[in-house]
Amino acid sequence: MLVFLELKHLLLEVLPSPTMVAQGRLLCIQNHLAMVCDSLWAINSMIEIPEMGVLFNYIWHHRFNSPLHVPVEFADWVTDVATAVIDMGELLSRIMDWEASLHFRHVILVELKEMLCDLNSLALRGSAMGLPRDPMGSMNPLREDYSIVLKNEVVGRHEDLEKLIEIFQQQQLVPSNNNGDDYNPFVIVIDGEERVGKTTLAYMIYHHTWVRQQFHHRIWVDLSPSVSTLEMIKIIGKEFAESINNEEYCDQKLHLELPLQAMWEYINEQLDGSRYLLVLHCLDLNSLISQPEWSELKNILLRVGGPGSAVLVILKSSTQSVSDMSFQNRVKDITTYYLKPLSDDAWLELFKRHAAMTIPPSKRDIVFKGSTFAMPLFQLVGQTFGAKFWGSLGHSIQVEDLFPCEIKDIHMVRNFPFAIVRLLQYHYLLDKDYNVILHMLTAESLIPVEGLSPGWTEIYERFRYGRESTFCFPRKVYLHRKVPGDSTTIPRCCRYLRLEINARAIPFRLPTMPVEVNKKMIALILREDEATTQEDDKRMTFQVYKKRLMKPATTISLQVYKKRRTKAATTISKFLDKMSVRLVHLHILVVETSMIQSLPNEISKLVSLRYLHLSKLEIELLPKSLFDLLNLQILSLLHCKNLQKMPGRIHKLKKLQILKLAYCTKLQQLPRSITRLKNLEELNVEGCCFLRKLPEDLVSFKSLKILNVAGCASLSQIPHGIEQSIGLRKLSGIFVGVNEGFVLTQLQVLTNLQEIRLQNLERAEEIQTEVLMGQQSLWDLSLHWGGEEKKESSESTTSLQVLEALRPSLQLKRLEIISYKGVEFPTWMSKQQLAGFNSLVEVRLINLKSWDNLQNIEIIEIVGCQELRCLPQSMQRLKHLYKMTINSCNNLTTLVALDSLKELNIYACPVLAFDLEAFTKLRGLTSKGCPKMQIYHDAWKKKDEERWWKNRRR
């Protein structure tokens, strides 16, 4: 995890938030928070050079086995800063807990003072090591005196600044825009390649003297790719309200979830026709300006502020990647200003400024001369960021050793959204357990209950694979420890810990945590070693079989195995019992092992616990003390196959947002008191095959967003009136048919659905209306025709009519169709109609008879197509296809050449064999269970390595 990303999150998102400010005033600790903020900014101004050095050193060593030497004290300082920042974030989260912070105000104040001493000590250590302070990193960019820093530090952008100010001034003279709307705010987009300084230029505009005089309110909003239309409008509204600077409103109302209409009515009243400048900082225009979202936001902005108001949009990425610049054709009221890279002279000046901070005077002439020689290469890759980067590392590297493409990697890491950074960090800690990772992010309030939105999911998938993922988080601040191992000590900086449980180890033991770790631990993960467990289970089965054959000598190992497993279970239980008292700040506890048959009552001592994940446990009943965890937000009980019922005390978990009971196969009913969980947003009972019914008043859940009943074979009906749950976002596993109490036409009422997964569509009656056309928010649709077969000859005709009626809106991004009975697709899946689905990026067709009309598809997964012997030649027309997965196609013998394919995954295709020479863009290949492909797989791997080394030498 990179320290400056954690710092950025605290300094720009957490500390200045209206809720934190209001809470600080309530607890009378606002002065302490201000001092903490100043100390963090001081550290932020010094962290870049050692952080860059550590990261670059790691990349260089990892890829080229040619390490650069970063001073040990630098690396130690970075680790200590990271630990302090993590602790500060955890303390701030407790301050944000309204009830708890009031009760423990004295304790929080003591910890805040201790934290302030630690931060000041780190700042002094940085100065003592000679780390220079970067003025642009020493204060909040939105502070008024930041304009002085910009004036002194920015190089080569004043001409661009004056041009943009002139555009704004000219617009002030024109009362209306192209459309003739007198109060329509003027919109300008700063576009350009990455790393050229677009954000810095926007800050210069924000602080310009003329802008401060002409605009009564200036609002800066950072929009992540995950922001939906509703969230975007809510975020912008809160920033507007804060800019009004009405303390009474901010303290008493802003931290509450007000209706949007009431919020914007208040904003309009307070603005009273005054002029505003709204700055929107977003990843790209596609994440902001798709027609419905932009229209809705624009309509709101029309109603507030006076003539001459303006919106400035800064794009982190470049619109050059948007095919044919199509956004300009859709949005006519936007002016685009393209920011060019720095001139050679400006780039060199910026490089020298940063190099002068770290390079001794005796070496500057050599480095500056070398940088002038290599400057065109640098500028092509790094531009503004490159000048700062190479200047900061000038003391560690020689010009002839530079490998410019690495700057792309480092810049990419620096610009990850914070939630994506945490996601990738947990990905390393949890071995790709995606669902648990998402819940950990939810427990830390980084993402909503619904999980990652499509935008963030795409970013995560793009960087999870390939060589980029190997370098992102070299510093193991969040430690991944496996026990037993070479050492049982836990470093004092450990905050996120994974312990591997291996019952085969002799003796089995868990480490003793130092006192400083006990107090600070945030997440603890106990997981059974799956590979070892599976191997031991096979051994046990085999030994039982041999015992039946009357060979008693072979039963000793089985007895030893059982004895070790019992001893390990006892050790784990004692460990949990002991740690429950000590880990007072633990937020996340994950326990996955089949060795535990009961939980200690002392689990109630984990008063700060937000996420409890228990998987594969042999428990039959949950302890009553578990329901004393009043801060618990997520309770996940997966594959607890012996769990028979949920206690009626569940209603005591008033903050519970997510309840997952998936594959608790002995669970037959839910307690009535569950409906008293007013904050519950997700209920997941997937695979609970003996669950007979859901509570009848389930629809009283006003906050319910996700309902998953997939695989609940005994569930005869869902509660009546489910269509009244207008807040539902994801609906999974609904068995369609009039006998189940749910008909497809009920979907028309649920207009906020984002994901729909329907099962048993073969039992659906013919539908006359297009029930999904009005679902503008729907982006994920799964349709399953599995289950019992119909006998009528009209089966394929009915399937076609049902699929025709399930035509989704054009906003769909993912479509999955399983076991479709028809022999042709509906009209909305024709070539001409699919062209209108501009957002569609993934189609999964499972067990079908489908191959045309998929020209815009980027990802294809082919599963279980037993009749398929070769892919059709028409697939060569899929010019946008970059990822394909083929699984369990037993008769598939060959593939057609796909020029656009970049990633290919093949599993369990025993007769498949083809040469990979024609797959010219392929960069990722996985082949398992395909014996005839092995020779081609090995040959491709060899050539891929040769190509990579050749590119490196260049």
Side-chain angles (χ1 to χ4, degrees):
M1 177 73 140
L2 300 177
V3 181
F4 53 75
L5 289 171
E6 185 96 36
L7 268 174
K8 179 181 178 181
H9 177 66
L10 290 183
L11 290 171
L12 298 181
E13 298 180 37
V14 178
L15 277 167
S17 68
T19 307
M20 179 63 73
V21 173
Q23 182 73 326
R25 281 198 287 264
L26 179 70
L27 298 174
C28 299
I29 58 173
Q30 64 268 39
N31 291 335
H32 291 85
L33 289 177
M35 289 188 287
V36 163
C37 192
D38 290 340
S39 298
L40 287 174
W41 278 113
I43 293 173
N44 185 70
S45 68
M46 293 185 285
I47 193 67
E48 185 172 43
I49 291 176
E51 183 80 335
M52 287 286 195
V54 172
L55 180 59
F56 191 84
N57 184 73
Y58 174 83
I59 295 173
W60 197 277
H61 174 71
H62 180 77
R63 292 195 177 178
F64 311 125
N65 197 27
S66 177
L68 297 168
H69 298 289
V70 176
V72 176
E73 60 271 21
F74 277 24
D76 290 342
W77 186 75
V78 169
T79 299
D80 291 340
V81 167
T83 306
V85 170
I86 296 165
D87 294 343
M88 189 69 239
E90 192 277 331
L91 177 58
L92 291 176
S93 70
R94 301 211 316 276
I95 292 175
M96 293 279 275
D97 190 332
W98 197 268
E99 297 177 3
S101 56
L102 285 172
H103 186 67
F104 297 104
R105 177 184 177 277
H106 175 69
V107 176
I108 286 177
L109 188 60
V110 171
E111 291 190 36
L112 201 56
K113 290 179 179 179
E114 292 177 355
M115 179 60 65
L116 186 60
C117 291
D118 291 342
L119 294 176
N120 289 335
S121 175
L122 287 169
L124 290 174
R125 276 178 59 189
S127 299
M129 288 188 295
L131 292 174
R133 295 197 179 192
D134 175 22
M136 294 186 70
S138 62
M139 68 174 69
N140 190 326
L142 299 182
R143 274 179 46 173
E144 294 302 320
D145 51 351
Y146 194 69
S147 59
I148 301 174
V149 176
L150 289 171
K151 183 178 181 181
N152 295 332
E153 297 297 319
V154 176
V155 174
R157 287 301 178 210
H158 291 88
E159 183 178 348
D160 295 292
L161 174 64
E162 295 307 318
K163 287 181 179 179
L164 281 165
I165 293 298
E166 184 178 354
I167 294 174
F168 278 109
Q169 290 173 339
Q170 292 175 351
Q171 187 62 27
Q172 291 285 316
L173 302 177
V174 182
S176 63
N177 70 350
N178 302 345
N179 297 330
D181 300 322
D182 288 344
Y183 296 99
N184 197 4
F186 169 64
V187 182
I188 185 169
V189 174
I190 300 180
D191 191 12
E193 297 179 12
E194 293 181 312
R195 307 177 296 275
V196 296
K198 298 187 289 285
T199 303
T200 300
L201 180 58
Y203 283 130
M204 296 173 73
I205 296 171
Y206 184 89
H207 289 291
H208 194 275
T209 303
W210 179 85
V211 170
R212 284 190 285 189
Q213 292 173 347
Q214 292 296 317
F215 296 97
H216 307 95
H217 298 279
R218 290 170 295 142
I219 304 100
W220 183 290
V221 181
D222 287 293
L223 295 175
S224 68
S226 69
V227 174
S228 64
T229 306
L230 188 65
E231 291 171 334
M232 175 176 65
I233 296 174
K234 185 182 297 185
I235 291 171
I236 293 174
K238 287 185 176 182
E239 295 294 339
F240 262 96
E242 185 183 5
S243 73
I244 295 170
N245 199 25
N246 186 317
E247 291 188 3
E248 180 181 358
Y249 177 83
C250 291
D251 287 354
Q252 298 180 8
K253 297 184 179 180
L254 199 56
H255 64 275
L256 302 176
E257 291 298 324
L258 289 179
L260 281 178
Q261 183 177 356
M263 177 187 294
W264 282 101
E265 286 178 355
Y266 172 84
I267 293 170
N268 192 26
E269 176 186 345
Q270 295 297 318
L271 286 177
D272 193 25
S274 56
R275 193 180 296 128
Y276 67 81
L277 171 65
L278 172 62
V279 183
L280 298 176
H281 192 206
C282 59
L283 181 68
D284 55 46
L285 278 180
N286 280 349
S287 66
L288 174 66
I289 309 177
S290 58
Q291 195 63 41
E293 286 83 355
W294 181 248
S295 298
E296 187 168 352
L297 175 60
K298 189 173 66 173
N299 288 336
I300 289 178
L301 295 177
L302 281 173
R303 304 188 191 107
V304 298
S309 296
V311 178
L312 177 64
V313 181
I314 315 108
L315 305 178
K316 297 179 183 178
S317 61
S318 173
T319 55
Q320 299 303 311
S321 61
V322 181
S323 60
D324 299 326
M325 306 287 283
S326 59
F327 76 93
Q328 291 184 345
N329 298 325
R330 297 198 307 267
V331 185
K332 302 297 185 182
D333 54 353
I334 289 182
T335 299
T336 301
Y337 183 87
Y338 190 82
L339 186 63
K340 298 179 181 179
L342 284 175
S343 65
D344 292 351
D345 292 340
W347 191 96
L348 187 58
E349 181 182 350
L350 190 61
F351 170 85
K352 289 182 176 180
R353 284 191 183 187
H354 283 260
M357 298 180 184
T358 58
I359 301 175
S362 59
K363 296 184 178 180
R364 288 178 188 171
D365 291 341
I366 300 175
V367 174
F368 290 169
K369 182 180 180 180
S371 64
T372 304
F373 173 77
M375 185 180 60
L377 186 59
F378 288 147
Q379 186 174 348
L380 177 64
V381 177
Q383 299 177 354
T384 302
F385 173 75
K388 296 180 179 181
F389 174 81
W390 294 120
S392 299
L393 291 184
H395 68 292
S396 301
I397 56 181
Q398 299 297 323
V399 174
E400 60 269 17
D401 293 333
L402 296 179
F403 196 73
C405 70
E406 302 304 328
I407 198 171
K408 280 187 176 180
D409 298 339
I410 295 178
H411 179 265
M412 178 189 68
V413 175
R414 284 176 55 90
N415 286 276
F416 272 147
F418 183 63
I420 294 294
V421 173
R422 278 290 177 87
L423 189 149
L424 290 170
Q425 171 249 308
Y426 289 151
H427 172 89
Y428 164 74
L429 191 71
L430 281 155
D431 293 340
K432 307 177 184 179
D433 195 332
Y434 193 63
N435 290 326
V436 175
I437 290 173
L438 292 184
H439 285 335
M440 293 175 75
L441 295 174
T442 302
E444 293 197 84
S445 302
L446 293 177
I447 62 173
V449 169
E450 299 98 307
L452 290 175
S453 73
W456 276 11
T457 302
E458 291 164 9
I459 293 177
Y460 171 61
E461 291 293 335
R462 189 162 67 245
F463 293 113
R464 185 174 63 165
Y465 302 104
R467 295 189 178 93
E468 291 87 353
S469 63
T470 62
F471 66 86
C472 290
F473 307 103
R475 286 186 310 99
K476 299 175 183 177
V477 176
Y478 309 95
L479 293 174
H480 180 178
R481 280 286 186 266
K482 292 186 178 181
V483 178
D486 296 332
S487 173
T488 59
T489 60
I490 300 176
R492 61 180 177 79
C493 66
C494 182
R495 297 296 179 264
Y496 294 75
L497 176 66
R498 169 173 170 168
L499 299 177
E500 199 81 3
I501 300 171
N502 183 352
R504 187 187 293 176
I506 305 176
F508 178 81
R509 63 194 186 280
L510 289 171
T512 301
M513 294 189 186
V515 175
E516 58 268 27
V517 176
N518 292 339
K519 292 182 178 180
K520 301 293 186 178
M521 186 69 65
I522 296 175
L524 174 61
I525 300 163
L526 297 175
R527 274 196 162 174
E528 195 168 347
D529 186 349
E530 293 184 5
T532 302
T533 301
Q534 291 174 1
E535 182 180 342
D536 287 340
D537 287 342
K538 291 180 180 178
R539 284 181 56 196
M540 185 176 69
T541 303
F542 183 63
Q543 295 294 349
V544 170
Y545 173 74
K546 293 174 73 174
K547 182 179 180 180
R548 291 174 180 172
L549 295 178
M550 304 301 293
K551 295 182 179 179
T554 62
T555 62
I556 297 177
S557 59
L558 175 60
Q559 295 174 355
V560 172
Y561 168 73
K562 289 183 176 180
K563 184 177 180 180
R564 290 178 185 173
R565 196 166 178 83
T566 302
K567 186 175 181 180
T570 303
T571 303
I572 296 169
S573 297
K574 289 182 178 179
F575 177 82
L576 287 174
D577 195 357
K578 185 178 181 180
M579 289 297 100
S580 296
V581 180
R582 297 183 177 180
L583 300 176
V584 293
H585 293 158
L586 194 71
H587 288 179
I588 298 166
L589 176 61
V590 176
V591 182
E592 292 190 358
T593 175
S594 59
M595 290 188 283
I596 295 182
Q597 297 182 349
S598 62
L599 291 174
N601 286 324
E602 283 72 14
I603 196 171
S604 61
K605 303 296 183 182
L606 299 174
V607 293
S608 301
L609 200 65
R610 301 177 184 177
Y611 174 30
L612 177 61
H613 175 88
L614 306 174
S615 178
K616 304 175 184 177
L617 274 63
E618 297 289 334
I619 54 175
E620 295 183 1
L621 296 174
L622 296 172
K624 294 182 179 179
S625 58
L626 185 147
F627 301 95
D628 293 328
L629 299 174
L630 301 183
N631 288 309
L632 197 65
Q633 299 173 15
I634 305 173
L635 176 58
S636 179
L637 304 169
L638 302 182
H639 296 277
C640 294
K641 59 184 179 181
N642 292 331
L643 184 65
Q644 298 179 359
K645 67 176 183 178
M646 291 294 295
R649 289 166 55 93
I650 192 172
H651 70 277
K652 294 186 64 178
L653 303 178
K654 296 181 179 180
K655 294 185 179 180
L656 197 67
Q657 296 177 315
I658 298 176
L659 177 59
K660 300 191 73 171
L661 303 171
Y663 300 97
C664 294
T665 52
K666 289 189 178 181
L667 191 67
Q668 297 185 19
Q669 63 182 9
L670 299 178
R672 292 183 178 179
S673 61
I674 195 174
T675 58
R676 296 165 64 181
L677 297 173
K678 299 302 180 183
N679 292 314
L680 193 68
E681 297 185 35
E682 177 179 351
L683 177 60
N684 186 335
V685 291
E686 178 180 354
C688 294
C689 53
F690 289 106
L691 184 66
R692 298 191 301 269
K693 65 176 182 178
L694 298 176
E696 283 300 324
D697 53 349
L698 191 67
V699 294
S700 64
F701 285 140
K702 301 300 181 184
S703 58
L704 191 65
K705 296 180 179 178
I706 302 173
L707 177 61
N708 187 348
V709 294
C712 295
S714 300
L715 192 64
S716 59
Q717 63 180 22
I718 62 174
H720 296 290
I722 189 68
E723 67 274 9
Q724 298 175 17
S725 303
I726 58 176
L728 273 180
R729 299 287 189 271
K730 301 180 182 181
L731 187 59
S732 300
I734 294 298
F735 280 70
V736 175
V738 293
N739 294 331
E740 284 74 26
F742 187 90
V743 293
L744 289 175
T745 51
Q746 288 175 277
L747 291 173
Q748 291 178 301
V749 184
L750 301 173
T751 56
N752 292 317
L753 284 174
Q754 298 174 350
E755 297 183 21
I756 302 176
R757 302 188 183 281
L758 301 176
Q759 294 181 253
N760 281 38
L761 280 170
E762 71 281 354
R763 301 188 63 182
E765 301 293 334
E766 181 181 343
I767 310 171
Q768 300 298 329
T769 59
E770 294 180 327
V771 297
L772 297 181
M773 273 296 289
Q775 302 281 7
Q776 295 299 320
S777 60
L778 183 64
W779 67 273
D780 191 330
L781 177 62
S782 177
L783 307 172
H784 192 179
W785 267 264
E788 59 185 83
E789 298 284 339
K790 281 191 176 182
K791 302 301 183 182
E792 303 91 88
S793 59
S794 62
E795 176 185 352
S796 61
T797 303
T798 303
S799 298
L800 176 61
Q801 291 169 342
V802 171
L803 190 53
E804 188 74 67
L806 290 173
R807 175 182 185 135
S809 71
L810 297 179
Q811 309 302 319
L812 195 70
K813 291 195 173 185
R814 181 182 181 275
L815 174 65
E816 178 182 74
I817 300 178
I818 304 173
S819 299
Y820 173 56
K821 308 299 181 183
V823 295
E824 59 180 309
F825 282 123
T827 57
W828 61 267
M829 291 187 69
S830 67
K831 175 180 178 181
Q832 294 77 11
Q833 295 287 332
L834 275 181
F837 286 80
N838 292 324
S839 301
L840 192 62
V841 295
E842 180 177 354
V843 174
R844 302 181 76 222
L845 306 175
I846 301 176
N847 195 22
L848 303 181
K849 301 179 180 179
S850 56
W851 277 101
D852 295 328
N853 307 321
L854 301 176
Q855 292 191 20
N856 296 321
I857 299 305
E858 297 180 3
I859 301 174
I860 282 184
E861 185 172 352
I862 305 171
V863 181
C865 296
Q866 303 303 341
E867 298 180 2
L868 187 65
R869 287 175 170 76
C870 63
L871 298 185
Q873 293 293 327
S874 58
M875 285 192 67
Q876 292 181 326
R877 296 197 295 268
L878 304 183
K879 299 302 182 183
H880 300 286
L881 182 66
Y882 73 89
K883 177 180 178 181
M884 182 163 65
T885 299
I886 304 176
N887 196 340
S888 302
C889 296
N890 292 339
N891 295 309
L892 183 64
T893 60
T894 186
L895 300 185
V896 296
L898 299 172
D899 294 338
S900 61
L901 203 64
K902 295 181 179 179
E903 181 178 341
L904 176 61
N905 304 304
I906 311 172
Y907 307 99
C909 296
V911 297
L912 181 63
F914 62 96
D915 197 345
L916 291 158
E917 286 287 342
F919 292 75
T920 56
K921 294 185 179 179
L922 194 65
R923 293 296 178 265
L925 175 64
T926 302
S927 175
K928 295 182 180 179
C930 309
K932 293 190 175 182
M933 274 298 300
Q934 191 62 44
I935 186 173
Y936 301 106
H937 179 274
D938 294 343
W940 181 88
K941 284 289 187 183
K942 182 178 180 180
K943 288 187 177 181
D944 185 54
E945 291 179 2
E946 292 175 352
R947 179 171 57 249
W948 186 77
W949 281 105
K950 183 177 180 180
N951 291 336
R952 176 202 163 183
R953 287 191 291 270
R954 287 179 179 175

